[in-house]
Amino acid sequence: MNDRAGLLADPLEVRAILIASATAGEPITYSETLQLLGHHFTRPKMRALCKVLAFVDDEAEERGEPELAVLVVRQSDGLPGQGWWVGGAKKHGYTGLWEGPKATRLIRKLQRQAFDYWSSRG
């Protein structure tokens, strides 16, 4: 997927934000990510951001890097939104609920992989 036309933000800029988050060992909210990109939070902007996150993760996978989109979470519960679960959970064979203890364990495990990978390169 090389078509960046129509994306909310430059995938390289989003990738840099997510790598900084991973290096710091902290997830980042959708609102914080959009703010760093110069946007106010709206649901349409969040959905547009999700398209960029998918692009970033596709490229990370090609590089053999852990996924980064899993670091972008809802402020309310610290978990990714529906967009991640629809695609991301399948990749990991997860078919459970998108919230609750099992979902939280999966997300923390995937976030830890990103934290460990990027902190060792920071």
Side-chain angles (χ1 to χ4, degrees):
M1 177 181 191
N2 289 331
D3 184 19
R4 295 178 185 204
L7 293 178
L8 172 78
D10 180 353
L12 292 176
E13 184 178 5
V14 174
R15 176 179 160 81
I17 290 168
L18 298 182
I19 289 172
S21 175
T23 302
E26 293 289 332
I28 186 169
T29 66
Y30 289 97
S31 182
E32 291 168 327
T33 306
L34 286 167
Q35 189 173 34
L36 288 170
L37 294 168
H39 299 284
H40 292 290
F41 178 90
T42 64
R43 293 221 179 268
K45 293 273 190 231
M46 182 184 70
R47 284 191 291 274
L49 174 61
C50 289
K51 290 179 182 163
V52 182
L53 294 174
F55 187 94
V56 169
D57 269 357
D58 287 347
E59 288 195 334
E61 187 175 1
E62 288 173 15
R63 291 183 179 101
E65 299 168 350
E67 58 194 277
L68 291 165
V70 72
L71 300 177
V72 185
V73 298
R74 297 181 295 235
Q75 190 170 347
S76 61
D77 63 4
L79 296 174
Q82 177 181 348
W84 184 87
W85 291 102
V86 168
K90 284 182 196 169
K91 218 187 290 186
H92 299 285
Y94 181 84
T95 57
L97 298 174
W98 298 350
E99 51 193 22
K102 283 185 178 180
T104 300
R105 275 194 298 279
L106 173 65
I107 296 308
R108 298 297 173 259
K109 175 185 150 199
L110 297 174
Q111 288 176 341
R112 173 62 42 213
Q113 289 172 357
F115 297 158
D116 291 349
Y117 181 90
W118 288 106
S119 68
S120 72
R121 282 154 181 75

